């Protein structure tokens, strides 16, 4: 079966979206230009210019790691893109069924939605999402962070991945319907 309704470029776009989400998980998700100017990645890595190692270690010990979810979802989106690309192909003696491609598209869409939920949650309150409450208690105030560029790009990658996966799924379903209609009865 050929994929007439689904351009192969969409497989690459979905893979690029997954890679974008994965890479952006390690970039800045929250930063502040007040006080010591902390910068926090989605995976909990902290950069505080001029701060003592003990202070940075304290902050890193009490960071939440929401980017760990997006590392996983980004990798799964890339795997889903590979499965869609392999759909309908024969690798040695193994034939990758188109049904697996539809399953992969569903996984890609689910991972995109999870990524969107995590990143939106972090955008609402970056300080609260990236730091444990013990950091706020130690500072005697809430942790006020601005949304970082890594968080914004991760969300954009997840949105584009969802749209691309939906397009791939629609195209695969159209191809299946067309192939069945073309079969002699």
């Amino acid at each position: 079966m050929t994929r007439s309704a689904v351009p192969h470029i969409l497989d690459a776009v979905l893979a690029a979206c997954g890679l974008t989400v994965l890479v952006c998980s390690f970039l800045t998700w929250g930063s502040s230009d007040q006080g010591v100017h902390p910068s926090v990645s989605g995976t909990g890595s902290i950069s505080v210019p001029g701060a003592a190692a003990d202070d940075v270690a304290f902050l890193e010990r009490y960071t939440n790691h929401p980017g760990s979810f997006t590392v996983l979802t980004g990798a799964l989106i890339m795997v889903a893109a590979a499965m869609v690309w392999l759909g309908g192909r024969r690798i040695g003696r193994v034939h990758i069924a188109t049904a697996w491609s539809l399953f992969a598209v569903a996984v890609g869409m689910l991972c995109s939605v999870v990524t969107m939920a995590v990143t939106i949650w972090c955008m609402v309150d970056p300080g609260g999402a990236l730091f444990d409450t013990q950091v706020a208690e130690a500072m005697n105030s809430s942790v006020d962070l601005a949304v970082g560029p890594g968080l914004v790009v991760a969300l954009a990658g997840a949105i584009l991945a969802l749209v691309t996966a939906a397009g791939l799924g629609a195209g695969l379903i159209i191809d299946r319907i067309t192939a069945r209609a073309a079969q002699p009865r």
Side-chain angles (χ1 to χ4, degrees), residues 45-170:
S45 176
I46 296 180
S47 171
V48 182
D54 291 342
D55 294 336
V56 173
F58 169 78
L59 290 174
E60 285 183 344
R61 185 176 27 236
Y62 294 107
T63 56
N64 299 323
H65 302 63
S68 299
F69 292 109
T70 58
V71 166
L72 177 64
T73 57
L76 287 173
I77 291 169
M78 291 181 352
V79 169
M83 288 298 298
V84 172
W85 181 76
L86 290 172
R89 290 186 172 80
R90 187 173 294 281
I91 301 174
R93 294 183 179 190
V94 178
H95 182 265
I96 307 298
T98 306
W100 281 106
S101 294
L102 287 171
F103 175 74
V105 165
V107 168
M109 290 176 74
L110 177 65
C111 289
S112 298
V113 169
V114 168
T115 302
M116 289 168 52
V118 168
T119 54
I120 289 170
W121 169 65
C122 290
M123 283 184 162
V124 170
D125 180 19
L130 294 169
F131 285 114
D132 191 57
T133 56
Q134 292 182 348
V135 173
E137 290 171 4
M139 295 175 62
N140 293 327
S141 68
S142 65
V143 180
D144 189 28
L145 293 177
V147 173
L151 183 58
V152 173
V153 176
L155 175 60
I159 292 169
L160 183 57
L162 180 63
V163 171
T164 304
L168 281 167

Side-chain angles (χ1 to χ4, degrees), residues 29-47:
W29 279 30
S31 62
S32 176
D33 57 359
Q34 299 174 358
V36 294
H37 304 286
S39 176
V40 185
S41 75
T43 55
S45 176
I46 296 180
S47 171

